[in-house]
Structures are given as structure tokens and as C-alpha cells.
């Protein structure tokens, strides 16, 4: 089992920044991927950004150049630095942890960007 605890969501004005954090604990595999999905009301869940334990990253086109994902393997923590936020970034952001065994999800944190 893996537990994920997210933090850092909130309300910010357009153009502002937020930093999300997600700490994983439990049966952590040395080879894994972590990252963030988001879901806005009435929309499908979409991948925002992911990072492997080898630090390979991928981003949704809509956030490239604005969001940066990073991780601290020693702390089993993944971060999402979100800059130049737009109202369309408003969503519940959920952290995930994936290995060759299973995928786990955090409870989600609300990000609201006001115009």
C-alpha cells in the first residue's frame, strides 16, 4: 500500500503562482512514476504532468512553459510549481503514484484561479 498526502492548493488571482506538494509513504518502489492529474467541473480528468524516478518528465500541452514538475526521491515527494495561472487551470488536482504493481491516488486539492 502507498499513501499520498497532498498540500498547496488554494485560491489565487490570474497570473499568480502556486506550488503543490505530494508526499508518498508506505511500500515505495525504487522504480516508479508520480505526478498530477486534474479535473474541472463537467470535464474529463486530464494528465497535467508526470515524472519518473529517473526524472523523465511529461506535460500537458496546455501547461508547458508555465508548470514545472520535480521530485525529491529521498523524501518520496513530488512538486508541481504552477506559474502564470489562468482561470482555466481551476480544477481539483490529484497526485498519483504508479509502479509496475499498482497505481495510487491522493484525495485531491482544489486550485481556484480567479480572473
Amino acid at each position: 500500500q502507498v499513501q499520498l498526502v497532498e498540500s498547496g492548493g488554494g485560491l489565487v488571482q490570474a497570473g499568480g503562482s502556486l506550488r503543490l506538494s505530494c508526499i508518498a509513504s508506505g511500500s515505495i518502489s525504487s522504480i516508479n512514476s508520480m505526478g498530477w492529474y486534474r479535473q474541472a467541473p463537467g470535464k474529463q480528468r486530464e494528465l497535467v504532468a508526470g515524472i519518473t524516478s529517473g526524472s523523465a518528465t511529461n506535460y500537458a500541452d496546455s501547461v508547458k512553459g508555465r508548470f514545472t514538475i520535480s521530485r525529491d526521491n529521498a523524501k518520496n515527494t513530488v512538486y508541481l510549481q504552477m506559474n502564470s495561472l489562468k482561470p482555466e487551470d481551476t480544477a481539483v488536482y490529484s497526485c498519483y503514484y504508479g509502479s509496475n504493481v499498482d497505481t495510487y491516488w491522493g484525495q485531491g486539492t482544489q486550485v481556484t484561479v480567479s480572473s
Side-chain angles (χ1 to χ4, degrees), residues 12-50:
V12 65
Q13 288 187 332
S17 299
L18 284 174
R19 188 194 196 205
L20 305 183
S21 300
C22 176
I23 303 174
S25 62
S27 301
I28 305 298
S29 170
S30 59
I31 301 175
N32 62 68
S33 64
M34 296 183 70
W36 300 86
Y37 276 76
R38 69 185 180 186
Q39 187 165 23
K43 295 188 177 181
Q44 287 189 328
R45 185 174 63 182
E46 63 170 346
L47 174 67
V48 178

Side-chain angles (χ1 to χ4, degrees):
Q1 290 283 333
V2 173
Q3 295 78 42
L4 301 171
V5 177
E6 301 142 327
S7 61
L11 172 64
V12 65
Q13 288 187 332
S17 299
L18 284 174
R19 188 194 196 205
L20 305 183
S21 300
C22 176
I23 303 174
S25 62
S27 301
I28 305 298
S29 170
S30 59
I31 301 175
N32 62 68
S33 64
M34 296 183 70
W36 300 86
Y37 276 76
R38 69 185 180 186
Q39 187 165 23
K43 295 188 177 181
Q44 287 189 328
R45 185 174 63 182
E46 63 170 346
L47 174 67
V48 178
I51 184 168
T52 69
S53 46
S55 296
T57 60
N58 62 297
Y59 295 91
D61 288 342
S62 58
V63 307
K64 285 181 180 176
R66 300 188 297 122
F67 291 11
T68 302
I69 191 169
S70 61
R71 64 186 290 165
D72 184 333
N73 288 334
K75 297 180 179 179
N76 294 321
T77 301
V78 64
Y79 306 96
L80 185 67
Q81 179 66 43
M82 305 185 292
N83 298 329
S84 302
L85 282 160
K86 303 175 181 180
E88 51 263 44
D89 294 317
T90 295
V92 174
Y93 286 68
S94 299
C95 173
Y96 73 87
Y97 164 94
S99 70
N100 62 344
V101 177
D102 212 335
T103 299
Y104 296 88
W105 296 90
Q107 290 189 331
T109 184
Q110 177 69 46
V111 171
T112 302
V113 184
S114 63
S115 58

